[in-house]
Amino acid sequence: MISLWVLHGPNLNMLGVREPDVYGTTSLVDLDAMLHSRGAAMGAEVTCLQSNHEGALVEWVHGAVAQGVSAIVINPAGLTHTSVSLRDALAIFQGVKIEVHLSNIWQREDFRARSLVAPVVDGVVAGLGTESYTLGLQAAVKLVRRRDGGHAT
Ligand code: DQA
């Protein structure tokens, strides 16, 4: 079984309520439930974690290293554009890493166009609403299987 962690950054606990025209109407609880079931269907055990605190996210990435997690799918939210610490933590994690965003960060304010995280991840999916997460999950599982030479169970 592939172990995959989905990390959600600040304010994503407010999904569904928060600027629904930008981020959609799906709640985080519903999104996480969907990711669990999609993951299970692909042979991945999905753990979803959300925090509004940079340090908590950094420590979860350290935990993923310690526990030998296969892949991280992360929406760093506002920390995407500001957090050297989260970027540095992700650089330590040697498993598969996919950055996701609900909105198209290159279509919005200038300050969102730069991701500090993007250079240390395998790929980025953005602008597709919750589909960014499901495609990110799919890509992560595929990359884990490819890296394991098809031997991951
Ligand atoms: C976001 C985009 C970020 O710029 C923003 O700060 C978020 C959410 C997205 O999913 O589109 O909180 O990461």
Side-chain angles (χ1 to χ4, degrees), residues 97-122:
K97 293 164 270 193
I98 308 287
E99 174 184 346
V100 300
H101 300 281
L102 295 151
S103 65
N104 180 347
I105 57 172
W106 300 283
Q107 207 174 52
R108 303 180 62 196
E109 301 95 329
D110 288 348
F111 65 84
R112 294 187 203 276
R114 188 173 68 139
S115 167
L116 299 188
V117 169
V120 300
V121 297
D122 295 289

PDB file of all heavy atoms in Angstrom, residues 97-122:
ATOM      1  N   LYS A  97       6.677  14.492  -4.588  1.00  0.00           N
ATOM      2  CA  LYS A  97       6.044  15.719  -4.080  1.00  0.00           C
ATOM      3  C   LYS A  97       5.287  16.408  -5.200  1.00  0.00           C
ATOM      4  O   LYS A  97       5.884  16.699  -6.243  1.00  0.00           O
ATOM      5  CB  LYS A  97       7.106  16.705  -3.582  1.00  0.00           C
ATOM      6  CG  LYS A  97       7.851  16.270  -2.367  1.00  0.00           C
ATOM      7  CD  LYS A  97       9.121  17.073  -2.169  1.00  0.00           C
ATOM      8  CE  LYS A  97      10.309  16.443  -2.871  1.00  0.00           C
ATOM      9  NZ  LYS A  97      11.603  16.988  -2.483  1.00  0.00           N
ATOM     10  N   ILE A  98       4.009  16.659  -4.976  1.00  0.00           N
ATOM     11  CA  ILE A  98       3.209  17.400  -5.962  1.00  0.00           C
ATOM     12  C   ILE A  98       2.578  18.596  -5.255  1.00  0.00           C
ATOM     13  O   ILE A  98       1.954  18.441  -4.206  1.00  0.00           O
ATOM     14  CB  ILE A  98       2.084  16.519  -6.570  1.00  0.00           C
ATOM     15  CG1 ILE A  98       2.617  15.179  -7.125  1.00  0.00           C
ATOM     16  CG2 ILE A  98       1.322  17.298  -7.644  1.00  0.00           C
ATOM     17  CD1 ILE A  98       3.394  15.262  -8.412  1.00  0.00           C
ATOM     18  N   GLU A  99       2.746  19.776  -5.838  1.00  0.00           N
ATOM     19  CA  GLU A  99       2.121  21.009  -5.330  1.00  0.00           C
ATOM     20  C   GLU A  99       0.807  21.219  -6.079  1.00  0.00           C
ATOM     21  O   GLU A  99       0.764  21.068  -7.298  1.00  0.00           O
ATOM     22  CB  GLU A  99       3.080  22.180  -5.604  1.00  0.00           C
ATOM     23  CG  GLU A  99       2.527  23.549  -5.266  1.00  0.00           C
ATOM     24  CD  GLU A  99       3.514  24.663  -5.668  1.00  0.00           C
ATOM     25  OE1 GLU A  99       4.702  24.371  -5.948  1.00  0.00           O
ATOM     26  OE2 GLU A  99       3.079  25.828  -5.720  1.00  0.00           O
ATOM     27  N   VAL A 100      -0.236  21.536  -5.330  1.00  0.00           N
ATOM     28  CA  VAL A 100      -1.528  21.769  -5.983  1.00  0.00           C
ATOM     29  C   VAL A 100      -2.128  23.096  -5.520  1.00  0.00           C
ATOM     30  O   VAL A 100      -1.884  23.547  -4.395  1.00  0.00           O
ATOM     31  CB  VAL A 100      -2.547  20.615  -5.718  1.00  0.00           C
ATOM     32  CG1 VAL A 100      -2.025  19.295  -6.239  1.00  0.00           C
ATOM     33  CG2 VAL A 100      -2.909  20.496  -4.252  1.00  0.00           C
ATOM     34  N   HIS A 101      -2.902  23.689  -6.402  1.00  0.00           N
ATOM     35  CA  HIS A 101      -3.659  24.900  -6.083  1.00  0.00           C
ATOM     36  C   HIS A 101      -5.030  24.813  -6.730  1.00  0.00           C
ATOM     37  O   HIS A 101      -5.132  24.388  -7.890  1.00  0.00           O
ATOM     38  CB  HIS A 101      -2.948  26.158  -6.608  1.00  0.00           C
ATOM     39  CG  HIS A 101      -1.593  26.345  -6.028  1.00  0.00           C
ATOM     40  ND1 HIS A 101      -1.411  26.858  -4.762  1.00  0.00           N
ATOM     41  CD2 HIS A 101      -0.357  26.046  -6.505  1.00  0.00           C
ATOM     42  CE1 HIS A 101      -0.116  26.878  -4.501  1.00  0.00           C
ATOM     43  NE2 HIS A 101       0.547  26.386  -5.536  1.00  0.00           N
ATOM     44  N   LEU A 102      -6.022  25.236  -5.984  1.00  0.00           N
ATOM     45  CA  LEU A 102      -7.378  25.266  -6.536  1.00  0.00           C
ATOM     46  C   LEU A 102      -7.469  26.291  -7.668  1.00  0.00           C
ATOM     47  O   LEU A 102      -8.050  26.033  -8.725  1.00  0.00           O
ATOM     48  CB  LEU A 102      -8.369  25.624  -5.426  1.00  0.00           C
ATOM     49  CG  LEU A 102      -8.470  24.584  -4.304  1.00  0.00           C
ATOM     50  CD1 LEU A 102      -8.861  25.240  -2.990  1.00  0.00           C
ATOM     51  CD2 LEU A 102      -9.455  23.493  -4.673  1.00  0.00           C
ATOM     52  N   SER A 103      -6.902  27.472  -7.412  1.00  0.00           N
ATOM     53  CA  SER A 103      -6.973  28.545  -8.406  1.00  0.00           C
ATOM     54  C   SER A 103      -5.729  28.537  -9.289  1.00  0.00           C
ATOM     55  O   SER A 103      -4.724  27.884  -8.962  1.00  0.00           O
ATOM     56  CB  SER A 103      -7.101  29.893  -7.686  1.00  0.00           C
ATOM     57  OG  SER A 103      -5.921  30.161  -6.933  1.00  0.00           O
ATOM     58  N   ASN A 104      -5.807  29.275 -10.383  1.00  0.00           N
ATOM     59  CA  ASN A 104      -4.658  29.426 -11.269  1.00  0.00           C
ATOM     60  C   ASN A 104      -3.832  30.599 -10.747  1.00  0.00           C
ATOM     61  O   ASN A 104      -4.151  31.759 -10.975  1.00  0.00           O
ATOM     62  CB  ASN A 104      -5.139  29.701 -12.695  1.00  0.00           C
ATOM     63  CG  ASN A 104      -3.981  29.866 -13.663  1.00  0.00           C
ATOM     64  OD1 ASN A 104      -2.832  30.006 -13.251  1.00  0.00           O
ATOM     65  ND2 ASN A 104      -4.282  29.849 -14.944  1.00  0.00           N
ATOM     66  N   ILE A 105      -2.762  30.279 -10.022  1.00  0.00           N
ATOM     67  CA  ILE A 105      -2.001  31.320  -9.315  1.00  0.00           C
ATOM     68  C   ILE A 105      -1.315  32.300 -10.270  1.00  0.00           C
ATOM     69  O   ILE A 105      -0.928  33.387  -9.849  1.00  0.00           O
ATOM     70  CB  ILE A 105      -0.960  30.723  -8.322  1.00  0.00           C
ATOM     71  CG1 ILE A 105       0.005  29.784  -9.021  1.00  0.00           C
ATOM     72  CG2 ILE A 105      -1.663  30.031  -7.163  1.00  0.00           C
ATOM     73  CD1 ILE A 105       1.179  29.317  -8.134  1.00  0.00           C
ATOM     74  N   TRP A 106      -1.202  31.927 -11.540  1.00  0.00           N
ATOM     75  CA  TRP A 106      -0.540  32.812 -12.518  1.00  0.00           C
ATOM     76  C   TRP A 106      -1.521  33.775 -13.189  1.00  0.00           C
ATOM     77  O   TRP A 106      -1.132  34.611 -13.972  1.00  0.00           O
ATOM     78  CB  TRP A 106       0.195  31.974 -13.573  1.00  0.00           C
ATOM     79  CG  TRP A 106       1.234  31.130 -12.924  1.00  0.00           C
ATOM     80  CD1 TRP A 106       2.461  31.535 -12.471  1.00  0.00           C
ATOM     81  CD2 TRP A 106       1.127  29.742 -12.593  1.00  0.00           C
ATOM     82  NE1 TRP A 106       3.117  30.481 -11.890  1.00  0.00           N
ATOM     83  CE2 TRP A 106       2.335  29.372 -11.959  1.00  0.00           C
ATOM     84  CE3 TRP A 106       0.151  28.767 -12.788  1.00  0.00           C
ATOM     85  CZ2 TRP A 106       2.578  28.079 -11.508  1.00  0.00           C
ATOM     86  CZ3 TRP A 106       0.388  27.474 -12.346  1.00  0.00           C
ATOM     87  CH2 TRP A 106       1.589  27.144 -11.702  1.00  0.00           C
ATOM     88  N   GLN A 107      -2.797  33.569 -12.848  1.00  0.00           N
ATOM     89  CA  GLN A 107      -3.843  34.386 -13.464  1.00  0.00           C
ATOM     90  C   GLN A 107      -4.320  35.462 -12.496  1.00  0.00           C
ATOM     91  O   GLN A 107      -5.205  36.227 -12.813  1.00  0.00           O
ATOM     92  CB  GLN A 107      -5.016  33.437 -13.762  1.00  0.00           C
ATOM     93  CG  GLN A 107      -5.912  33.808 -14.897  1.00  0.00           C
ATOM     94  CD  GLN A 107      -6.904  32.693 -15.119  1.00  0.00           C
ATOM     95  OE1 GLN A 107      -7.573  32.256 -14.193  1.00  0.00           O
ATOM     96  NE2 GLN A 107      -6.988  32.217 -16.348  1.00  0.00           N
ATOM     97  N   ARG A 108      -3.744  35.533 -11.336  1.00  0.00           N
ATOM     98  CA  ARG A 108      -4.249  36.381 -10.262  1.00  0.00           C
ATOM     99  C   ARG A 108      -3.269  37.529  -9.946  1.00  0.00           C
ATOM    100  O   ARG A 108      -2.586  37.996 -10.841  1.00  0.00           O
ATOM    101  CB  ARG A 108      -4.547  35.491  -9.045  1.00  0.00           C
ATOM    102  CG  ARG A 108      -5.548  34.371  -9.371  1.00  0.00           C
ATOM    103  CD  ARG A 108      -5.841  33.510  -8.172  1.00  0.00           C
ATOM    104  NE  ARG A 108      -6.442  34.290  -7.107  1.00  0.00           N
ATOM    105  CZ  ARG A 108      -6.531  33.876  -5.831  1.00  0.00           C
ATOM    106  NH1 ARG A 108      -6.057  32.670  -5.507  1.00  0.00           N
ATOM    107  NH2 ARG A 108      -7.088  34.627  -4.921  1.00  0.00           N
ATOM    108  N   GLU A 109      -3.224  37.972  -8.688  1.00  0.00           N
ATOM    109  CA  GLU A 109      -2.322  39.074  -8.341  1.00  0.00           C
ATOM    110  C   GLU A 109      -0.863  38.648  -8.585  1.00  0.00           C
ATOM    111  O   GLU A 109      -0.534  37.473  -8.455  1.00  0.00           O
ATOM    112  CB  GLU A 109      -2.478  39.444  -6.852  1.00  0.00           C
ATOM    113  CG  GLU A 109      -3.880  39.881  -6.441  1.00  0.00           C
ATOM    114  CD  GLU A 109      -4.702  38.728  -5.877  1.00  0.00           C
ATOM    115  OE1 GLU A 109      -4.500  37.563  -6.289  1.00  0.00           O
ATOM    116  OE2 GLU A 109      -5.551  39.004  -5.011  1.00  0.00           O
ATOM    117  N   ASP A 110      -0.031  39.655  -8.848  1.00  0.00           N
ATOM    118  CA  ASP A 110       1.387  39.381  -9.128  1.00  0.00           C
ATOM    119  C   ASP A 110       2.072  38.600  -8.009  1.00  0.00           C
ATOM    120  O   ASP A 110       2.908  37.742  -8.265  1.00  0.00           O
ATOM    121  CB  ASP A 110       2.161  40.695  -9.346  1.00  0.00           C
ATOM    122  CG  ASP A 110       1.793  41.341 -10.677  1.00  0.00           C
ATOM    123  OD1 ASP A 110       1.143  40.668 -11.499  1.00  0.00           O
ATOM    124  OD2 ASP A 110       2.153  42.515 -10.871  1.00  0.00           O
ATOM    125  N   PHE A 111       1.688  38.916  -6.732  1.00  0.00           N
ATOM    126  CA  PHE A 111       2.402  38.266  -5.624  1.00  0.00           C
ATOM    127  C   PHE A 111       2.126  36.761  -5.550  1.00  0.00           C
ATOM    128  O   PHE A 111       2.852  36.035  -4.892  1.00  0.00           O
ATOM    129  CB  PHE A 111       2.077  38.949  -4.280  1.00  0.00           C
ATOM    130  CG  PHE A 111       0.641  38.822  -3.825  1.00  0.00           C
ATOM    131  CD1 PHE A 111       0.207  37.684  -3.137  1.00  0.00           C
ATOM    132  CD2 PHE A 111      -0.278  39.833  -4.072  1.00  0.00           C
ATOM    133  CE1 PHE A 111      -1.097  37.560  -2.700  1.00  0.00           C
ATOM    134  CE2 PHE A 111      -1.598  39.715  -3.643  1.00  0.00           C
ATOM    135  CZ  PHE A 111      -2.011  38.581  -2.968  1.00  0.00           C
ATOM    136  N   ARG A 112       1.067  36.311  -6.253  1.00  0.00           N
ATOM    137  CA  ARG A 112       0.786  34.860  -6.244  1.00  0.00           C
ATOM    138  C   ARG A 112       1.524  34.110  -7.354  1.00  0.00           C
ATOM    139  O   ARG A 112       1.544  32.875  -7.383  1.00  0.00           O
ATOM    140  CB  ARG A 112      -0.716  34.609  -6.410  1.00  0.00           C
ATOM    141  CG  ARG A 112      -1.538  35.112  -5.252  1.00  0.00           C
ATOM    142  CD  ARG A 112      -2.987  34.688  -5.403  1.00  0.00           C
ATOM    143  NE  ARG A 112      -3.839  35.573  -4.647  1.00  0.00           N
ATOM    144  CZ  ARG A 112      -4.101  35.442  -3.341  1.00  0.00           C
ATOM    145  NH1 ARG A 112      -3.601  34.433  -2.658  1.00  0.00           N
ATOM    146  NH2 ARG A 112      -4.880  36.312  -2.727  1.00  0.00           N
ATOM    147  N   ALA A 113       2.114  34.864  -8.266  1.00  0.00           N
ATOM    148  CA  ALA A 113       2.701  34.220  -9.443  1.00  0.00           C
ATOM    149  C   ALA A 113       3.995  33.473  -9.119  1.00  0.00           C
ATOM    150  O   ALA A 113       4.422  32.616  -9.875  1.00  0.00           O
ATOM    151  CB  ALA A 113       2.948  35.260 -10.528  1.00  0.00           C
ATOM    152  N   ARG A 114       4.608  33.802  -7.972  1.00  0.00           N
ATOM    153  CA  ARG A 114       5.856  33.124  -7.630  1.00  0.00           C
ATOM    154  C   ARG A 114       5.618  32.094  -6.537  1.00  0.00           C
ATOM    155  O   ARG A 114       5.062  32.406  -5.483  1.00  0.00           O
ATOM    156  CB  ARG A 114       6.906  34.119  -7.153  1.00  0.00           C
ATOM    157  CG  ARG A 114       8.275  33.434  -6.981  1.00  0.00           C
ATOM    158  CD  ARG A 114       9.356  34.411  -6.676  1.00  0.00           C
ATOM    159  NE  ARG A 114       9.160  34.993  -5.344  1.00  0.00           N
ATOM    160  CZ  ARG A 114      10.163  35.215  -4.487  1.00  0.00           C
ATOM    161  NH1 ARG A 114      11.400  34.895  -4.821  1.00  0.00           N
ATOM    162  NH2 ARG A 114       9.925  35.761  -3.309  1.00  0.00           N
ATOM    163  N   SER A 115       6.029  30.865  -6.799  1.00  0.00           N
ATOM    164  CA  SER A 115       5.976  29.812  -5.782  1.00  0.00           C
ATOM    165  C   SER A 115       7.389  29.498  -5.336  1.00  0.00           C
ATOM    166  O   SER A 115       8.239  29.151  -6.163  1.00  0.00           O
ATOM    167  CB  SER A 115       5.324  28.548  -6.344  1.00  0.00           C
ATOM    168  OG  SER A 115       5.549  27.472  -5.443  1.00  0.00           O
ATOM    169  N   LEU A 116       7.626  29.592  -4.025  1.00  0.00           N
ATOM    170  CA  LEU A 116       8.942  29.224  -3.485  1.00  0.00           C
ATOM    171  C   LEU A 116       9.082  27.707  -3.405  1.00  0.00           C
ATOM    172  O   LEU A 116      10.186  27.176  -3.304  1.00  0.00           O
ATOM    173  CB  LEU A 116       9.135  29.827  -2.085  1.00  0.00           C
ATOM    174  CG  LEU A 116       9.091  31.345  -1.952  1.00  0.00           C
ATOM    175  CD1 LEU A 116       9.483  31.760  -0.535  1.00  0.00           C
ATOM    176  CD2 LEU A 116      10.005  32.013  -2.955  1.00  0.00           C
ATOM    177  N   VAL A 117       7.941  27.037  -3.454  1.00  0.00           N
ATOM    178  CA  VAL A 117       7.891  25.583  -3.285  1.00  0.00           C
ATOM    179  C   VAL A 117       8.130  24.853  -4.615  1.00  0.00           C
ATOM    180  O   VAL A 117       8.757  23.788  -4.664  1.00  0.00           O
ATOM    181  CB  VAL A 117       6.507  25.213  -2.691  1.00  0.00           C
ATOM    182  CG1 VAL A 117       6.244  23.731  -2.733  1.00  0.00           C
ATOM    183  CG2 VAL A 117       6.393  25.745  -1.253  1.00  0.00           C
ATOM    184  N   ALA A 118       7.669  25.455  -5.707  1.00  0.00           N
ATOM    185  CA  ALA A 118       7.691  24.781  -7.012  1.00  0.00           C
ATOM    186  C   ALA A 118       9.061  24.194  -7.402  1.00  0.00           C
ATOM    187  O   ALA A 118       9.112  23.081  -7.941  1.00  0.00           O
ATOM    188  CB  ALA A 118       7.169  25.726  -8.092  1.00  0.00           C
ATOM    189  N   PRO A 119      10.179  24.910  -7.121  1.00  0.00           N
ATOM    190  CA  PRO A 119      11.475  24.350  -7.544  1.00  0.00           C
ATOM    191  C   PRO A 119      11.862  23.043  -6.844  1.00  0.00           C
ATOM    192  O   PRO A 119      12.756  22.344  -7.312  1.00  0.00           O
ATOM    193  CB  PRO A 119      12.476  25.466  -7.191  1.00  0.00           C
ATOM    194  CG  PRO A 119      11.665  26.702  -7.116  1.00  0.00           C
ATOM    195  CD  PRO A 119      10.326  26.272  -6.586  1.00  0.00           C
ATOM    196  N   VAL A 120      11.218  22.715  -5.709  1.00  0.00           N
ATOM    197  CA  VAL A 120      11.625  21.499  -4.995  1.00  0.00           C
ATOM    198  C   VAL A 120      10.581  20.378  -5.088  1.00  0.00           C
ATOM    199  O   VAL A 120      10.687  19.374  -4.385  1.00  0.00           O
ATOM    200  CB  VAL A 120      11.968  21.786  -3.506  1.00  0.00           C
ATOM    201  CG1 VAL A 120      13.107  22.790  -3.414  1.00  0.00           C
ATOM    202  CG2 VAL A 120      10.760  22.272  -2.716  1.00  0.00           C
ATOM    203  N   VAL A 121       9.575  20.546  -5.928  1.00  0.00           N
ATOM    204  CA  VAL A 121       8.572  19.481  -6.095  1.00  0.00           C
ATOM    205  C   VAL A 121       8.676  18.857  -7.483  1.00  0.00           C
ATOM    206  O   VAL A 121       9.338  19.407  -8.365  1.00  0.00           O
ATOM    207  CB  VAL A 121       7.128  19.986  -5.840  1.00  0.00           C
ATOM    208  CG1 VAL A 121       6.958  20.453  -4.407  1.00  0.00           C
ATOM    209  CG2 VAL A 121       6.731  21.079  -6.832  1.00  0.00           C
ATOM    210  N   ASP A 122       8.033  17.712  -7.653  1.00  0.00           N
ATOM    211  CA  ASP A 122       8.098  17.026  -8.946  1.00  0.00           C
ATOM    212  C   ASP A 122       7.186  17.670  -9.978  1.00  0.00           C
ATOM    213  O   ASP A 122       7.465  17.631 -11.177  1.00  0.00           O
ATOM    214  CB  ASP A 122       7.697  15.549  -8.750  1.00  0.00           C
ATOM    215  CG  ASP A 122       8.689  14.833  -7.874  1.00  0.00           C
ATOM    216  OD1 ASP A 122       9.811  14.595  -8.336  1.00  0.00           O
ATOM    217  OD2 ASP A 122       8.363  14.545  -6.704  1.00  0.00           O
TER     218      ASP A 122
END
